[in-house]
Amino acid sequence: MTRPALAAAPKPPKLGNLRPLPGPLEDEAVYRGVAFGGDLPGGQTLRSVTFEKCVFRSVTLRGVNWQRVRLQDVRFEHCDLSSAVWDDVSLERVEASDCRLLGLQAPGARLRHVRLDRTVLALSVWLKADAAHLRLDACDLSEAVFMGAKLPGAVLRGCQLARTDLRGALLDGADLRGCDLRGVRLGPAELQGVTVEPTQLLDLAHLLGVKVETLEG
């Protein structure tokens, strides 16, 4: 069984060394040490772009279509990526706090050392995503789809998993303690090697074919 591990923090440059965006975003470009804020000119559709050691603050990225984009040592703060499409996107040492990823589509995304805090991921799609060292704290994953995803050792704390679809996902070593599991969609196979609290077993009993009743008399 894979043991949960902490996600490594990104390594952006010191705030004083970040520079503003020099112009509209362009395909096949590398942006290093840039501070992004507000609306991004040219950011609606991007292909084969790399962001390294960058910070996104209060950036509106709703409905963007990013293809083959790489994010390394990147932090998102108070950003909105609702309804965005990420096709063949890779994230390494990426953090997001107080962001909205409502309805984001990122099938097949590669995530390494990714941490999300107080982020809305409801209705997002992560089909067959490949994650390692993933941690989510106080996130809303209601009706998100992780079917067939690889999430070994993932740590989730205080997350909402109402109707979250984890069928076919690899969760060996995952830690779901402190999460609301009412209505989560998974089965005995996905629960192998998963850590939960005793109080959460009642929410999972029906998935295991167990009927829970209080003995009377």
Side-chain angles (χ1 to χ4, degrees), residues 104-127:
L104 179 142
Q105 298 185 45
R110 182 180 183 275
L111 302 95
R112 296 291 185 271
H113 294 283
V114 172
R115 178 164 184 165
L116 308 179
D117 297 311
R118 302 176 303 280
T119 291
V120 177
L121 298 104
L123 300 171
S124 59
V125 178
W126 305 84
L127 288 168

Side-chain angles (χ1 to χ4, degrees), residues 186-206:
L186 75 174
E190 290 81 27
L191 286 170
Q192 292 294 316
V194 173
T195 300
V196 297
E197 297 177 279
T199 55
Q200 293 173 302
L201 292 176
L202 289 176
D203 296 328
L204 299 173
H206 70 286

Side-chain angles (χ1 to χ4, degrees), residues 161 163-167 171 176 181-191 196 200-212:
L161 295 172
R163 298 177 300 282
T164 304
D165 199 335
L166 291 161
R167 290 174 294 180
L171 296 168
L176 306 182
L181 302 180
R182 289 175 292 182
V184 65
R185 298 175 180 175
L186 75 174
E190 290 81 27
L191 286 170
V196 297
Q200 293 173 302
L201 292 176
L202 289 176
D203 296 328
L204 299 173
H206 70 286
L207 301 173
L208 303 173
V210 176
K211 186 177 182 180
V212 179

Side-chain angles (χ1 to χ4, degrees), residues 20-203:
L21 180 65
L25 294 174
E26 299 179 351
D27 290 342
E28 301 181 1
V30 176
Y31 296 94
R32 185 177 293 110
V34 177
F36 299 95
D39 295 324
L40 294 184
Q44 192 65 24
T45 301
L46 284 180
R47 298 178 180 85
S48 303
V49 172
T50 298
F51 297 97
E52 294 182 4
K53 299 183 181 298
C54 294
V55 176
F56 292 77
R57 286 197 180 89
S58 301
V59 177
T60 300
L61 295 166
R62 289 192 298 268
V64 300
N65 188 334
W66 287 4
Q67 302 177 23
R68 299 181 301 280
V69 170
R70 303 292 179 262
L71 299 105
Q72 184 173 330
D73 293 311
V74 171
R75 180 169 175 79
F76 293 89
E77 302 172 358
H78 303 281
C79 295
D80 189 350
L81 292 88
S82 298
S83 301
V85 176
W86 282 359
D87 184 14
D88 188 19
V89 171
S90 174
L91 294 81
E92 183 173 355
R93 293 189 300 278
V94 172
E95 287 186 353
S97 61
D98 301 294
C99 293
R100 289 178 59 84
L101 279 63
L102 181 68
L104 179 142
Q105 298 185 45
R110 182 180 183 275
L111 302 95
R112 296 291 185 271
H113 294 283
V114 172
R115 178 164 184 165
L116 308 179
D117 297 311
R118 302 176 303 280
T119 291
V120 177
L121 298 104
L123 300 171
S124 59
V125 178
W126 305 84
L127 288 168
K128 297 184 178 180
D130 184 355
H133 306 293
L134 174 67
R135 176 160 184 139
L136 285 73
D137 288 274
C139 293
D140 183 359
L141 295 122
S142 301
E143 299 188 65
V145 178
F146 289 87
M147 293 178 65
K150 296 179 181 178
L151 308 169
V155 177
L156 281 68
R157 289 282 188 270
C159 295
Q160 298 293 323
L161 295 172
R163 298 177 300 282
T164 304
D165 199 335
L166 291 161
R167 290 174 294 180
L170 174 62
L171 296 168
D172 183 35
D175 189 340
L176 306 182
R177 289 177 293 174
C179 294
D180 186 348
L181 302 180
R182 289 175 292 182
V184 65
R185 298 175 180 175
L186 75 174
E190 290 81 27
L191 286 170
Q192 292 294 316
V194 173
T195 300
V196 297
E197 297 177 279
T199 55
Q200 293 173 302
L201 292 176
L202 289 176
D203 296 328

